[in-house]
Amino acid sequence: MNIRLIAEIARSLLLARFKQTLVAAIGVTFSITMFITLLSFMTGLNNMLDSLIVNRTPHIRLYNEIRPSAEQPVNQYESFKGMHHFIHSIKPKKDLANIRNSLAIMHSLKQDKRVMGIAPKLSEQVFYTVGTVDLTGVINGIDPEEESRLFFFHDYVTTGNTADLKNTPNSIILGKGAAEKMMVEPGDVITVTTVKGNKMQLKVVGFFQSGLADFDKVNSYTSIATAQKMMGEASDYITDIQVKLYDINLAPAVAKEYSLIYGTEALDIQTANAQFETGTFIRTLISYTVGITLLIVAGFGIYNILNMMIYEKMDSIAIMKATGFSGRDVKMIFIGIALSIGLFGGSAGLAFGYGLSSIIDLIPFRTQALPTITTYPVNYNPKFYLIGIVFSLITTYLSGFFPAKKASRIDPVIIIRGK
Amino acid sequence: MENALEARDIIKYFHDPVSFQVIKKISFEIKKGEFVSIIGKSGCGKSTLLYILSTMDTEYEGALLIDGELMKNKTERELARVRNKKIGFVFQFHYLLNEFTVLKNVMLPGMKLAERPLDEIEQMAFEKLKILGMEKHVLKKPNQLSGGEKQRVAIARALINNPLIIMADEPTGNLDKRNSETVLEIFSRLANEFHQTLLIVTHDNEFASRTHRIIEMEDGKIISPLHL
Ligand SMILES: Nc1ncnc2c1ncn2[C@@H]1O[C@H](COP(=O)(O)OP(=O)(O)OP(=O)(O)O)[C@@H](O)[C@H]1O
Ligand SMILES: [Mg+2]
């Protein structure tokens, strides 16, 4: 084929109008740069915000809602079988918070191939007693190792060490907010009172900072054994089983299944954090919209320059057609010009986009809420670069298509007659 | 001798602004090696006829045969190929591409035909330019040439694929007396020395008188096919 000849002609036409083509290419470069930078930055932010919730939230949480038992005593009364019962003033039962048979359930969960890991938890309302003041709080008894492995607990422990929960008996890691309210330092001992009235002395071994200030004002962590001891419960008393799956997308289906098998509530992460997905989606949508809008503007630039070029090169097109170039050859020449503007402009855009995201990546960004973050988050997903170059080629192709078609239809007789 | 070109009952109408018949049933043939000129008053349809014969204008009735092949029903690409391989053009205006050197301008139709390797095409282009006395200017851009020189380059370009026939529409129309004389000499030499088939539309009766045959047109018809 005469691809080489066509490429050569396209190149000379392009170089003859170098300044204009450069301006058109810069338009593409600019839009691709912005596209890459925006997407990298936005998805970096998305991932960061997601990790704030998603990393720390179990994919499925098994727990019992505190509510009246479905089986009321009157149902068991032989004489009233098959009748309608009107029962007033039903009250929920306390011990329902406990997951019955928790050891067996955990054992069977560990056998499930979809499950990456599980971490039991015991959450309980307490009062932190400081002098004469009682502050309300929540103590979470956890397995520090599993909690760290699955939910990155250690990332949020800013002072002290997660292992201390296991190594130091009767120890507690306080939320930063709670600790500030109580004005305690690591090494201090605080008194915790349970709702039932049990008192216990706990040694502060560290602070954590989750990024959610309200959460940190109330919550604290102990080992699960300490929590059970404090509440005077047996070693199988737990209120939550937190499950992490290999594939987060399976969570809703698996949650439904577990709820049936184990007879507990099972809440999946998607249901629990629906608003988060929406935020992520909107931010991504904005980035794409801005990028594509810029590209369309650049596309008009290319459309303009090609139209101008064709207008200027009418004679050349006419003589090429007279001397044996077909309409298709002419079309390919102009589409070739458009695509090379797209390719060079787009590639430069990728490079600049990478550069700009790297610069953003260096800008310090420290926030109380996110102890692990020191600079602005940037996501260098190669997917964006691929989409960027494909987009720029598609837009330039489309903007070159109509001028090229016009050029291919030029009737040499009309041009030659016009001279 | 074989026919290079044959026109049978060619009829053409223009419809804008009013319908009228420009070409009125024209039939003639050109043998290989013939040097033919078409003359006639301005507006009698010479250029229109030439565009039909050159396959660029396809809206006509009748039959056109080039090298014995019927041009009707050929696709746009096939016709482009016929022009590329069998027809060389010279117009009043040179139509050289200013982006390319003189040599490249001559090579382009050869590169499009792609029947020979590039270095051979380059060699041929150089030889054609040499025939026209333009070998000193091969590396210039067309806008660095005089009008007569440009027209000679255009003739070299028409020659590059050794076409069956060269068609020219008032090739000396834009040139002064001296340059016209040069171009005319070139055409005569091509016809007599290289037996190149030529069909030249001209206003210049002296030019016409030096061709082998004059076709005189009037009002869309041939009035005197004289053999000289
Ligand atoms: N596109 C067109 N539409 C309508 N009429 C046309 C068109 N082109 C040419 N004509 C008319 O057709 C007739 C023949 O035109 P043509 O260009 O073939 O003349 P010509 O013999 O080449 O004249 P000249 O010697 O001046 O070049 C003229 O009367 C012209 O006005
Ligand atoms: Mg004319």
Side-chain angles (χ1 to χ4, degrees):
Chain A
M1 258 298 275
N2 42 37
I3 285 289
R4 267 187 54 197
L5 174 61
I6 284 180
E8 190 180 336
I9 296 172
R11 217 198 65 190
S12 342
L13 289 181
L14 198 144
L15 290 180
R17 277 258 155 256
F18 186 70
K19 259 188 203 156
Q20 278 91 333
T21 34
L22 191 67
V23 169
I26 286 172
V28 178
T29 304
F30 181 72
S31 48
I32 294 293
T33 305
M34 290 321 282
F35 178 77
I36 295 287
T37 312
L38 257 174
L39 262 163
S40 306
F41 186 44
M42 285 287 194
T43 51
L45 273 181
N46 273 348
N47 289 352
M48 183 192 79
L49 292 170
D50 282 356
S51 68
L52 207 63
I53 295 291
V54 174
N55 281 352
R56 260 181 287 171
T57 312
H59 294 172
I60 300 171
R61 187 165 76 92
L62 301 181
Y63 65 104
N64 280 340
E65 200 81 77
I66 294 192
R67 63 175 169 200
S69 54
E71 193 71 1
Q72 293 292 331
V74 67
N75 295 345
Q76 292 168 348
Y77 203 72
E78 283 294 328
S79 325
F80 299 138
K81 261 245 149 79
M83 295 186 180
H84 252 298
H85 310 302
F86 294 93
I87 312 171
H88 296 277
S89 297
I90 300 180
K91 297 289 182 290
K93 253 172 91 180
K94 168 68 183 165
D95 69 24
L96 275 173
N98 177 28
I99 296 179
R100 272 192 224 153
N101 244 339
S102 59
L103 294 179
I105 292 177
M106 290 201 298
H107 184 75
S108 111
L109 282 175
K110 275 180 189 154
Q111 310 295 313
D112 195 325
K113 285 208 168 56
R114 295 165 297 188
V115 174
M116 187 169 145
I118 55 167
K121 189 161 123 181
L122 196 174
S123 286
E124 188 61 31
Q125 286 276 341
V126 293
F127 297 102
Y128 305 118
T129 312
V130 187
T132 54
V133 187
D134 284 341
L135 295 171
T136 55
V138 174
I139 280 200
N140 300 283
I142 55 164
D143 175 342
E145 278 157 21
E146 285 299 281
E147 198 75 19
S148 287
R149 181 172 79 87
L150 299 173
F151 305 116
F152 306 95
F153 179 54
H154 54 278
D155 276 355
Y156 307 101
V157 175
T158 48
T159 316
N161 199 325
T162 51
D164 291 343
L165 282 188
K166 248 198 175 136
N167 302 340
T168 315
N170 296 346
S171 55
I172 187 166
I173 292 182
L174 281 174
K176 186 96 177 164
E180 271 164 13
K181 268 208 262 184
M182 289 185 264
M183 300 199 293
V184 293
E185 294 292 326
D188 292 353
V189 172
I190 61 166
T191 305
V192 173
T193 313
T194 68
V195 180
K196 280 190 197 155
N198 304 346
K199 273 190 196 311
M200 193 161 179
Q201 305 266 315
L202 294 172
K203 185 173 180 191
V204 179
V205 293
F207 299 141
F208 77 90
Q209 215 175 338
S210 68
L212 307 171
D214 277 346
F215 186 85
D216 298 350
K217 274 185 196 155
V218 176
N219 282 266
S220 59
Y221 289 92
T222 65
S223 73
I224 205 156
T226 309
Q228 283 161 346
K229 194 160 64 178
M230 183 170 71
M231 305 204 30
E233 295 285 356
S235 67
D236 65 345
Y237 183 95
I238 54 171
T239 58
D240 297 81
I241 299 173
Q242 311 172 102
V243 182
K244 187 158 190 170
L245 300 175
Y246 285 107
D247 180 3
I248 190 171
N249 297 316
L250 293 178
V254 177
K256 224 170 253 163
E257 185 186 321
Y258 286 171
S259 169
L260 282 176
I261 299 176
Y262 303 124
T264 64
E265 302 288 325
L267 184 65
D268 57 272
I269 187 167
Q270 283 85 346
T271 311
N273 294 291
Q275 80 284 6
F276 236 82
E277 292 274 303
T278 318
T280 303
F281 173 74
I282 300 244
R283 276 186 294 272
T284 313
L285 187 70
I286 289 172
S287 319
Y288 274 91
T289 313
V290 171
I292 289 171
T293 310
L294 289 172
L295 262 178
I296 289 173
V297 174
F300 277 108
I302 295 173
Y303 177 84
N304 263 338
I305 172 142
L306 280 180
N307 263 335
M308 198 182 71
M309 227 182 233
I310 287 160
Y311 192 76
E312 270 181 2
K313 296 293 164 205
M314 286 282 194
D315 288 356
S316 306
I317 295 167
I319 194 63
M320 285 198 295
K321 289 186 107 175
T323 56
F325 288 81
S326 63
R328 193 163 152 265
D329 296 331
V330 173
K331 191 156 99 185
M332 275 163 67
I333 289 171
F334 285 94
I335 288 203
I337 291 175
L339 283 184
S340 31
I341 293 176
L343 189 66
F344 289 111
S347 311
L350 296 190
F352 282 121
Y354 180 79
L356 198 55
S357 355
S358 313
I359 291 173
I360 289 176
D361 201 0
L362 294 176
I363 299 174
F365 172 67
R366 275 172 216 285
T367 161
Q368 284 281 306
L370 297 157
T372 48
I373 306 283
T374 56
T375 57
Y376 277 108
V378 170
N379 180 1
Y380 296 100
N381 193 337
K383 199 176 86 186
F384 306 145
Y385 293 78
L386 192 71
I387 292 174
I389 197 76
V390 169
F391 270 4
S392 67
L393 288 180
I394 289 177
T395 346
T396 48
Y397 177 81
L398 287 181
S399 47
F401 182 78
F402 294 100
K405 194 156 183 161
K406 196 169 100 185
S408 77
R409 292 214 177 122
I410 284 174
D411 183 351
V413 173
I414 291 175
I415 308 298
I416 291 164
R417 225 183 231 299
K419 278 282 166 183
Chain B
M1 226 196 284
E2 264 182 273
N3 283 338
L5 182 146
E6 191 179 340
R8 287 187 202 146
D9 302 333
I10 302 275
I11 293 172
K12 171 153 180 100
Y13 288 90
F14 278 126
H15 299 287
D16 188 39
V18 285
S19 241
F20 85 104
Q21 194 175 3
V22 227
I23 306 292
K24 299 168 179 166
K25 238 184 178 181
I26 282 183
S27 301
F28 69 99
E29 50 201 50
I30 295 171
K31 304 230 178 303
K32 281 187 183 164
E34 257 192 307
F35 183 13
V36 182
S37 59
I38 301 181
I39 56 167
K41 288 207 190 77
S42 179
C44 70
K46 305 181 295 292
S47 298
T48 309
L49 179 65
L50 196 75
Y51 298 139
I52 292 171
L53 300 181
S54 72
T55 78
M56 285 195 282
D57 188 350
T58 50
E59 281 165 21
Y60 60 91
E61 289 160 42
L64 168 68
L65 288 91
I66 292 174
D67 212 6
E69 219 179 315
L70 191 61
M71 291 296 118
K72 267 261 143 66
N73 303 326
K74 281 198 185 288
T75 64
E76 187 256 354
R77 278 181 80 183
E78 286 165 344
L79 289 176
R81 173 111 188 136
V82 169
R83 288 196 293 274
N84 190 213
K85 194 173 162 63
K86 299 194 169 163
I87 307 175
F89 283 105
V90 182
F91 301 101
Q92 196 169 340
F93 182 70
H94 55 80
Y95 293 105
L96 296 174
L97 277 59
N98 282 325
E99 291 82 19
F100 295 101
T101 59
V102 163
L103 189 66
K104 204 61 181 254
N105 263 285
V106 176
M107 287 169 67
L108 278 180
M111 288 163 76
K112 170 63 198 167
L113 190 64
E115 277 183 353
R116 294 160 197 271
L118 201 62
D119 50 352
E120 216 171 292
I121 295 171
E122 192 170 339
Q123 190 56 40
M124 280 175 65
F126 190 79
E127 273 157 25
K128 305 290 181 197
L129 284 163
K130 204 167 170 183
I131 294 174
L132 296 160
M134 290 294 298
E135 71 273 15
K136 286 197 298 285
H137 304 285
V138 285
L139 293 179
K140 279 190 181 173
K141 291 282 166 71
N143 51 18
Q144 298 168 312
L145 298 177
S146 75
E149 288 169 340
K150 282 180 194 157
Q151 201 61 321
R152 281 191 267 162
V153 176
I155 296 171
R157 178 180 60 194
L159 289 169
I160 186 71
N161 287 332
N162 298 323
L164 176 74
I165 181 165
I166 286 183
M167 298 185 187
D169 192 355
E170 299 181 32
T172 59
N174 274 344
L175 302 178
D176 61 16
K177 194 88 193 116
R178 199 175 50 84
N179 275 314
S180 298
E181 189 57 35
T182 317
V183 169
L184 178 58
E185 264 162 30
I186 289 163
F187 281 130
S188 300
R189 199 173 142 225
L190 287 173
N192 300 327
E193 218 173 286
F194 298 92
H195 307 289
Q196 174 68 54
T197 318
L198 291 152
L199 177 61
I200 317 285
V201 170
T202 181
H203 269 129
D204 186 342
N205 284 334
E206 199 205 315
F207 188 139
S209 69
R210 287 161 70 175
T211 61
H212 301 168
R213 173 157 64 112
I214 300 173
I215 295 176
E216 190 176 355
M217 278 179 72
E218 193 177 288
D219 199 15
K221 282 179 286 202
I222 293 176
I223 53 167
S224 67
L226 296 173
H227 291 268
L228 294 174

